[in-house]
């Protein structure tokens, strides 16, 4: 074994280094693959799946609000690159939920390889492997990688951006043009993937402007690259304008508590919290690895400082924006660009100049890996609880009894969009869906959902089977509490109570699903002696 291979400085046999990178990526893929069947189709994914039925030009017009399409689900206003990539993938592998989730896992694997390469070339093989594992196995990344949204591609463009940034700030100044070109291309790709690509690009180029000239790099090419990115950003202006005031979510203003929760969620995931030992290991490991990465660097000091500038400045921009934006900028998935940055910084301490820092980094990385592996185990075995919704419960009942034979009734006076949208995307106009509007004189009043054009009552509703659905939003604290202490029922609503006491209906199935939108169902079959009412316009 050569000295460089033994010391892990990144210049060992190419095949061995390549194999190590592939193993790190494969570990991350395994974590995502085990969680993949646990995730449920949800509102935003229903929108993305519907949009992918359009051709690339029609997609642009739809996303820019120039054309309207009656998909029956929410509209979308975002840059088009993730849709274009998804469209191309779907033409080869099919437009199915599983296929599109596999695409996200594939993009995540490529991002993991880039994180490994950035860490290895900057701080050595040990740091590269640590960063790749911390990134690929992080529960936040595992969850995001299976989503049928922009986030897997966004993490890939960000990994490419910060790979080029570390190279720019670590290699000799004469190689500056190639890495500036790479940064420019990745920054533009990120901006055309997600609006927060602007934050990632701003942080990366700020790091380049601050550090590169001090290393002998020329300022003019960096300014020229910034100008190119700024000009390209004009291309997303139609999508920005279309998205203004589209969301109805309540912003979480940048109070100290909300900011602290935002930063906590960028690093940690609720899947670690069912175990106190895993929670403590994650916290201690992050503290040790974080302290080590701030210690004097044995190599790659400028790259490390550049990542710190990019990460801190980006977070400050997001927090400041939370005071003024009409949407929740503190939603952690919007800031998935920072995941490669965090992994690289936490792995960099293994190359610190001081022995104590290297030892602290080794212990910290090991503790964090233990915690994230526990989180991945939780996602693999109890991941349904960390899905966006319990849609799989309703979907399974519709599949078993047949969409042509069932009617879905939402047993609450409210907005069941989180349940309705994936059901509408998967089955179209079947099964008919109704929502409770009230109870009056012993009659359970309903209206067709979401158009609300026809009122009826429970006694007059058509269908051989009724799937009565109740839903309730759960916080991550409540999900963890109920994983450890048992499920807390929502309880029957007016429709279920009526049907359970009706001589015309028989309860044939019950089910509950713990998730961030928890769901409960009661399935009733019409008794053969009770004639079904004639189908109405709501069934179409």
């Amino acid at each position: 074994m050569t000295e460089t291979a033994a010391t892990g400085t990144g210049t060992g046999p190419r095949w061995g280094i390549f194999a190590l990178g592939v193993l790190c990526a494969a570990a991350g893929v395994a974590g995502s693959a085990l969680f993949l069947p646990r995730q449920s189709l949800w509102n935003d994914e229903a929108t993305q799946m519907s949009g992918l039925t359009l051709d690339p030009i029609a997609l642009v017009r739809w996303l820019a609000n120039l054309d309207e399409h009656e998909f029956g689900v929410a509209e979308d206003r975002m840059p088009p690159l993730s849709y274009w990539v998804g469209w191309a993938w779907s033409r080869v592998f099919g437009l199915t939920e599983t296929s599109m989730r596999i695409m996200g896992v594939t993009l995540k694997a490529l991002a993991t390889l880039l994180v490994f390469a950035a860490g290895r070339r900057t701080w050595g093989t040990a740091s590269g492997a640590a960063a790749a594992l911390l990134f690929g196995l992080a529960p936040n990344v595992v969850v995001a990688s299976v989503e049928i949204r922009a986030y897997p591609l966004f993490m890939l463009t960000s990994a490419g951006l910060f790979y080029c940034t570390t190279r720019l700030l670590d290699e000799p100044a004469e190689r500056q043009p190639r890495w500036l070109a790479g940064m420019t291309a990745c920054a533009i790709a990120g901006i055309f993937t997600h609006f927060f690509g602007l934050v990632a690009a701003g942080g990366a180029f700020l790091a380049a402007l601050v550090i590169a000239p001090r290393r002998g790099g020329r300022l003019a090419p960096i300014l020229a690259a910034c100008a190119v990115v700024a000009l390209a950003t004009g291309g997303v202006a139609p999508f920005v304008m279309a998205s203004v005031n589209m969301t109805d979510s309540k912003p979480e203003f940048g109070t100290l508590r909300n900011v602290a929760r935002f930063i906590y969620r960028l690093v940690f995931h609720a899947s670690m919290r069912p175990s106190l030992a895993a929670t403590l290991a994650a916290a201690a490991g992050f503290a040790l690895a974080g302290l080590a990465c701030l210690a004097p660097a044995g190599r790659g000091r400028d790259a490390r400082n550049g990542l710190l500038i990019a990460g801190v400045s980006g977070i400050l921009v997001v927090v400041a924006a939370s005071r003024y934006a009409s949407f929740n900028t503190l939603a952690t998935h919007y800031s998935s660009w920072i995941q490669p940055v965090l992994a690289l910084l936490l792995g960099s301490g293994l190359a610190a100049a001081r022995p104590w820092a290297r030892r602290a980094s080794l212990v910290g990385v090991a503790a964090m890996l233990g915690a994230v592996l526990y989180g991945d185990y939780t996602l693999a075995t109890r991941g349904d609880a960390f899905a966006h919704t319990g849609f799989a419960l309703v979907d399974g009942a519709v599949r078993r009894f047949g969409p042509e034979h069932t009617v879905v009734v939402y047993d609450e006076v409210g907005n069941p969009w989180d349940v309705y949208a994936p059901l509408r995307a998967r089955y179209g106009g079947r099964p008919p869906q109704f929502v409770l509007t009230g109870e009056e004189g012993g009659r359970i009043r309903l209206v067709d959902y979401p158009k609300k054009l026809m009122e009826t009552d429970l006694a007059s509703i058509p269908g051989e089977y009724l799937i009565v659905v109740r839903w309730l939003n759960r916080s991550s604290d409540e999900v963890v509490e109920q994983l450890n202490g048992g499920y807390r029922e929502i309880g029957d609503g007016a429709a279920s109570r009526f049907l359970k006491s009706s001589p015309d209906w028989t309860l044939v199935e019950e089910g509950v699903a713990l998730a961030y939108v928890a769901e409960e169902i009661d399935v009733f079959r019409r008794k053969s002696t009770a004639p079904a009412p004639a189908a109405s316009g709501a069934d179409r």
Side-chain angles (χ1 to χ4, degrees):
M1 181 182 293
T2 65
E3 180 182 356
T4 53
T7 57
T9 58
T11 57
R14 290 183 178 273
W15 66 265
I17 293 171
F18 176 77
L20 181 60
V22 170
L23 284 174
C24 292
V29 167
S32 296
L34 291 172
F35 175 65
L36 188 151
R38 303 284 184 174
Q39 182 61 281
S40 284
L41 191 69
W42 61 294
N43 176 29
D44 287 2
E45 292 181 328
T47 296
Q48 188 110 0
M49 293 284 284
S50 299
L52 289 173
T53 61
L54 303 174
D55 65 68
I57 301 301
L59 271 170
V60 171
R61 295 186 60 82
W62 174 62
L63 291 170
N65 200 26
L66 300 176
D67 287 342
E68 292 186 2
H69 295 273
E70 187 58 41
F71 293 128
V73 296
E75 298 293 309
D76 204 358
R77 301 290 178 260
M78 65 182 298
L81 188 57
S82 70
Y83 275 93
W84 286 343
V85 172
W87 179 88
W89 178 279
S90 69
R91 292 311 178 270
V92 178
F93 300 104
L95 183 55
T96 65
E97 181 183 346
T98 300
S99 169
M100 301 312 296
R101 294 198 191 284
I102 291 174
M103 183 192 82
V105 177
T106 303
L107 296 174
K108 174 226 181 155
L110 296 175
T112 306
L113 289 173
L114 284 172
V115 170
F116 173 79
R120 182 192 70 81
R121 295 189 65 179
T122 308
W123 297 289
T125 302
S127 291
L133 290 173
L134 288 172
F135 173 79
L137 294 172
N140 280 322
V141 175
V142 167
V143 171
S145 68
V146 304
E147 293 202 354
I148 309 172
R149 290 296 284 163
Y151 308 118
L153 181 61
F154 191 28
M155 289 190 293
L156 175 59
T157 62
S158 300
L161 173 64
F162 292 109
Y163 171 80
C164 294
T165 303
T166 57
R167 294 293 81 230
L168 175 75
L169 301 180
D170 191 57
E171 292 193 359
E174 57 266 22
R175 298 180 182 175
Q176 174 177 300
R178 72 175 71 171
W179 300 120
L180 274 177
M183 286 179 65
T184 302
C186 292
I188 293 172
I191 291 166
F192 274 82
T193 297
H194 195 281
F195 293 132
F196 273 48
L198 286 164
V199 179
F205 278 99
L206 176 62
L209 286 168
V210 171
I211 295 178
R214 296 168 53 191
R215 305 183 67 251
R218 296 172 54 211
L219 185 61
I222 303 175
L223 293 174
C226 292
V228 171
V229 173
L231 288 173
T233 300
V236 302
F239 311 106
V240 173
M241 297 301 296
S243 69
V244 172
N245 297 324
M246 179 181 176
T247 180
D248 61 356
S249 64
K250 183 179 179 181
E252 294 188 18
F253 295 114
T255 64
L256 182 60
R257 177 182 179 183
N258 286 337
V259 171
R261 182 171 59 181
F262 165 64
I263 295 173
Y264 168 84
R265 288 177 175 175
L266 288 177
V267 180
F268 307 107
H269 189 268
S271 62
M272 304 177 187
R273 289 170 49 197
S275 166
L276 178 61
T279 303
L280 294 176
F286 179 76
L288 288 171
L291 179 64
C293 89
L294 297 176
R299 56 185 294 188
R301 181 189 63 183
D302 291 331
R304 180 202 63 184
N305 292 342
L307 290 178
L308 286 170
I309 289 172
V312 171
S313 64
I315 294 302
L316 290 176
V317 167
V318 170
V319 170
S322 72
R323 299 291 301 177
Y324 308 102
S326 61
F327 65 100
N328 180 16
T329 66
L330 299 183
T332 51
H333 48 278
Y334 293 162
S335 293
S336 55
W337 61 268
I338 204 171
Q339 295 300 328
V341 176
L342 288 173
L344 287 167
L345 285 172
L346 292 172
S348 69
L350 292 173
R354 302 288 190 269
W356 69 263
R358 294 195 297 273
R359 287 193 291 269
S361 178
L362 181 61
V363 173
V365 167
M368 286 204 71
L369 285 176
V372 300
L373 284 171
Y374 172 81
D376 291 344
Y377 171 77
T378 305
L379 290 174
T381 57
R382 308 176 78 181
D384 312 69
F386 299 98
H388 287 283
T389 73
F391 169 69
L393 178 69
V394 181
D395 182 41
V398 172
R399 288 179 182 272
R400 284 191 298 278
F401 298 105
E404 69 279 5
H405 301 298
T406 57
V407 174
V408 174
V409 174
Y410 297 108
D411 201 7
E412 294 182 40
V413 179
N415 181 6
W417 191 270
D418 286 324
V419 190
Y420 157 82
L423 201 61
R424 178 66 172 78
R426 177 156 291 172
Y427 297 104
R430 291 283 187 175
Q433 303 186 54
F434 293 84
V435 65
L436 185 73
T437 60
E439 186 176 2
E440 182 179 336
R443 295 175 65 246
I444 308 298
R445 294 186 290 110
L446 308 169
V447 66
D448 64 299
Y449 188 85
K451 293 186 176 181
K452 300 184 178 181
L453 299 177
M454 187 200 74
E455 289 192 358
T456 185
D457 62 75
L458 199 55
S460 305
I461 202 166
E464 182 181 354
Y465 292 93
L466 294 187
I467 302 176
V468 180
V469 182
R470 298 176 294 278
W471 74 99
L472 185 66
N473 290 336
R474 305 282 197 194
S475 69
S476 58
D477 291 339
E478 290 173 315
V479 169
V480 172
E481 176 189 346
Q482 292 181 48
L483 275 178
N484 286 336
Y487 179 79
R488 187 168 64 247
E489 290 188 2
I490 300 171
D492 287 349
S496 277
R497 290 193 297 269
F498 175 88
L499 292 168
K500 286 179 178 179
S501 63
S502 170
D504 297 330
W505 295 91
T506 300
L507 178 66
V508 296
E509 185 177 307
E510 295 177 293
V512 300
L514 176 62
Y516 289 121
V517 179
E519 297 178 25
E520 297 177 359
I521 63 169
D522 294 325
V523 182
F524 297 88
R525 184 181 68 238
R526 190 184 302 275
K527 293 181 179 178
S528 57
T529 56
S536 67
D539 298 307
R540 293 192 291 270

